Structure formats: structure tokens, C-alpha cells
Amino acid sequence: SQELEQSPQSLIVQEGKNLTINCTSSKTLYGLYWYKQKYGEGLIFLMMLQKGGEEKSHEKITAKLDEKKQQSSLHITASQPSHAGIYLCGADPVYNFNKFYFGSGTKLNVKP
Amino acid sequence: EPEVTQTPSHQVTQMGQEVILRCVPISNHLYFYWYRQILGQKVEFLVSFYNNEISEKSEIFDDQFSVERPDGSNFTLKIRSTKLEDSAMYFCASSEARGKALNYGYTFGSGTRLTVV
């Protein structure tokens, strides 16, 4: 079955530091999404990447998708306490558009 | 920007009771989905729905679950006899048909937190 591996599982950084979260698939993806979630709350859509090599930025968050469309990274520059939360990648594989898979999430804590 | 709307945001129900979770997908979307997230765990796929029928379902989606699009705008998830382990956040999502690369995308609702007591 299609799985999305996220790393690291959790991350504690000092405010102002940069960080990167990775999401890897064993199969080629049709689209890769990044979401943020506060514990026990809803999903906040961050970005969607669809083309190999694509890179998108929003404020201090940048997401990239590799050329093979199997790996994505989310980079936060100069982290702030407001960046704290759980970051989830989600994707649908090329071979099955009926399913959308989520990674297990990366829990980010930013220390003031 | 179009949204997927879920109601209620939080529902508390007695074990054994039936519960219906409601979703209004984006109006021109054709594919509809339900996902579940037990607190602190992964978001899990339950079911996908297209052309008024289930197109795929997971092993979680057993006979206690059913989905319906009763009136062309709502998409509902019914749990017939709730169990304690059904307590979770339930997310609805919708998407356009494949092929419209520029407009393609899944949109998720903000979720319904179901608590079974």
C-alpha cells in the first residue's frame, strides 16, 4: 500500500532557527500537499505541489517537490512560536486517484 | 475561496446511538471523501464516493458506516451504532475530476470531533 514517510517525527527548535521536514513516498505522486494542524484541531492547508522540481513559498515557509515527484521538503526560515504544531504531508498516487494518503506527521515545538 | 463545510464541529453521543456527520462539498467537485483521525494518531482514509456510489473504502469502513449524498449538495457519513473507539475527528474532503491540472486539488473541511461516551 502507498505510504508516506515523514521525518523527523518530532522537532524542538529555538526561536529564530531554520528547520526542514521531509516527506518521502515509494511511488510517484500526482500531487503533494502540506498541512498544519494544532493538536486535536482541523487541517490548515499550506501548499500543494504538482510538478516535478516545483517550489512554492508562503511567508517563511517553502515547500519543494523533487523531479521524480517522490520526495518533498518543507523548510521554515527563522521559526517563531506561531509555527508550532503538527505538520502533515498528504498525497495521492499516480495509480489511484480515489485515495489520498497522509504521513504520520511531524510535531514541531518552537522555544521562545 | 470555496470551502468544504462540516457540521457539527463537535458532537457528543451515547455509545450505541446512531450519528450522522454532515458535509457540504465544493459545488463543482465530483469526488467526495471521509477521513478519520483518532486523537494523536494518523489521518486515515475511510471512503471515497463518486457518481452516487462508493468507489473505494478502507477496512475501517465496515457495516456500521454508510455514506450518502441525499440531495445533490450534502454528503453524509452515518455511524449506525457508535462505539467508544469511534471517538475521533472526522474530515470530509472533495475534489474535482482528474485532468484539470490547474484546478485540481483536494479540499478538506475543518472536521467534526465525535466523542462517544
Side-chain angles (χ1 to χ4, degrees), chain A residues 33 37 40 92 96 100 102, chain B residues 35 37 98 104 106 113:
Chain A
Y33 294 68
Q37 187 181 34
D92 60 327
N96 186 349
F100 184 93
F102 282 92
Chain B
Y35 289 79
Q37 185 184 34
R98 280 272 184 100
Y104 165 85
Y106 288 81
R113 172 166 300 289

Side-chain angles (χ1 to χ4, degrees), chain B residues 3 5 8 28 34 36 43 60 66 71-72 79 91 104 106:
Chain B
E3 289 184 343
T5 306
N28 64 337
W34 282 102
R36 178 182 85 174
V43 180
I60 302 168
S66 63
D71 56 14
I79 309 175
F91 293 105
Y104 165 85
Y106 288 81

